[in-house]
Amino acid sequence: MAMLEVEEVHAYYGHIHALKGISLNVNKGEIVTLIGANGAGKSTMLKTTSGLLKPRQGSIRLEGEELTRYRPHQIVAKGVVQVPEGRRIFGRLTVRENLEMGAFSITDHRLIEANLERVFNLFPRLRERQKQLGGTLSGGEQQMLATGRALMANPRVLLMDEPSMGLAPVLVDTIFETIRQLHASGTTILLVEQNARMALQVASRGYVIQTGEVVLYDTAENLQKNEMVQKAYLGSP
């Protein structure tokens, strides 16, 4: 049984049919990436998995348990946690307060402190800036904070939505090195990323989404060699 299973999911924004029967799965400890053009439905898939958008049809299961019946905060408590596109940190709260907000579903204070230490070890810069207001951080630091906030919730599946968006190339490398570290520690990740080349380098498998449908899926290695993927997403001639 896969850790996360999505089966024939249809979702709408009003009358717009955004997801048209998408199916995918993510195994425990795996990185799976969704690639596609802007507006293809990648972020919508993550929002639907998080419960922010309710599907009209289909099933989303975490280790066999149906998630679509739950509200977003309950899905977080179940262990499916999203790092949102654009970071969405609390600018008027300190770094530490932002991180503590990520642990809202956890009542064990010792676990919260252990998770906080884990985040600070992963992102030493956040330890240095823990009393600084989130809104005064650089873009790269805010991405670290958004990721750390999600990790505070003890995710069983981490949903990452465009983590490299708007960052300088050197910071993109840092973010993807963090993703590799999370994978090495056993974190299961579903990654949406506009930088398909980098995404396929860290993922084990990938799904290509066009206009709300999966049109191709394979190992990351095979997708990198696929002519259509190369022309459309990797910038190859």
Side-chain angles (χ1 to χ4, degrees):
M1 179 189 299
M3 173 70 81
L4 181 70
E5 296 176 283
V6 175
E7 186 176 358
E8 288 294 319
V9 165
H10 293 257
Y12 292 74
Y13 292 114
H15 296 296
I16 299 172
H17 196 175
L19 300 180
K20 304 170 184 176
I22 283 187
S23 298
L24 59 88
N25 64 78
V26 185
N27 297 315
K28 186 174 183 179
E30 188 177 37
I31 300 179
V32 170
T33 187
L34 307 182
I35 60 176
N38 287 333
K42 307 184 304 296
S43 294
T44 301
M45 185 66 254
L46 295 194
K47 289 177 182 177
T48 306
T49 304
S50 297
L52 298 171
L53 182 65
K54 285 291 184 184
R56 290 193 191 175
Q57 291 177 245
S59 175
I60 302 173
R61 298 183 295 274
L62 178 68
E63 292 191 317
E65 182 179 12
E66 184 63 46
L67 294 180
T68 56
R69 67 170 67 101
Y70 295 116
R71 296 169 65 87
H73 70 279
Q74 294 171 315
I75 292 174
V76 169
K78 294 285 181 184
V80 178
V81 185
Q82 184 166 341
V83 183
E85 180 182 348
R87 280 120 17 209
R88 305 288 182 89
I89 62 159
F90 300 101
R92 296 185 180 181
L93 299 183
T94 66
V95 166
R96 188 182 181 97
E97 288 168 340
N98 267 275
L99 293 173
E100 290 171 344
M101 287 291 286
F104 76 91
S105 62
I106 299 176
T107 57
D108 184 338
H109 292 290
R110 289 175 299 181
L111 179 57
I112 292 173
E113 286 302 316
N115 287 350
L116 194 60
E117 189 62 24
R118 177 194 179 196
V119 170
F120 285 152
N121 287 336
L122 186 63
F123 302 114
R125 201 172 301 178
L126 296 184
R127 187 193 298 274
E128 298 168 5
R129 289 161 168 70
Q130 59 182 295
K131 295 182 180 180
Q132 189 170 326
L133 293 181
T136 65
L137 299 178
S138 69
E141 290 166 346
Q142 288 189 14
Q143 185 60 53
M144 294 175 192
L145 182 54
T147 303
R149 180 180 60 190
L151 294 175
M152 290 293 294
N154 260 8
R156 293 160 69 189
V157 180
L158 187 65
L159 310 178
M160 302 191 76
D161 195 356
E162 303 285 8
S164 77
M165 179 179 285
L167 300 183
V170 65
L171 293 176
V172 172
D173 291 339
T174 299
I175 290 300
F176 275 93
E177 180 55 34
T178 299
I179 293 171
R180 290 186 180 94
Q181 291 179 39
L182 291 172
H183 178 236
S185 71
T187 304
T188 303
I189 300 172
L190 179 58
L191 171 66
V192 162
E193 176 54 56
Q194 195 68 27
N195 189 331
R197 187 178 300 278
M198 294 289 283
L200 290 172
Q201 287 174 4
V202 298
S204 56
R205 293 187 298 113
Y207 292 80
V208 179
I209 298 180
Q210 292 180 358
T211 59
E213 298 180 272
V214 172
V215 296
L216 182 65
Y217 64 93
D218 208 331
T219 66
E221 182 180 4
N222 286 343
L223 287 175
Q224 290 178 79
K225 298 174 183 176
N226 182 277
E227 185 177 355
M228 183 272 281
V229 173
Q230 288 181 350
K231 288 182 177 180
Y233 307 111
L234 302 182
S236 300

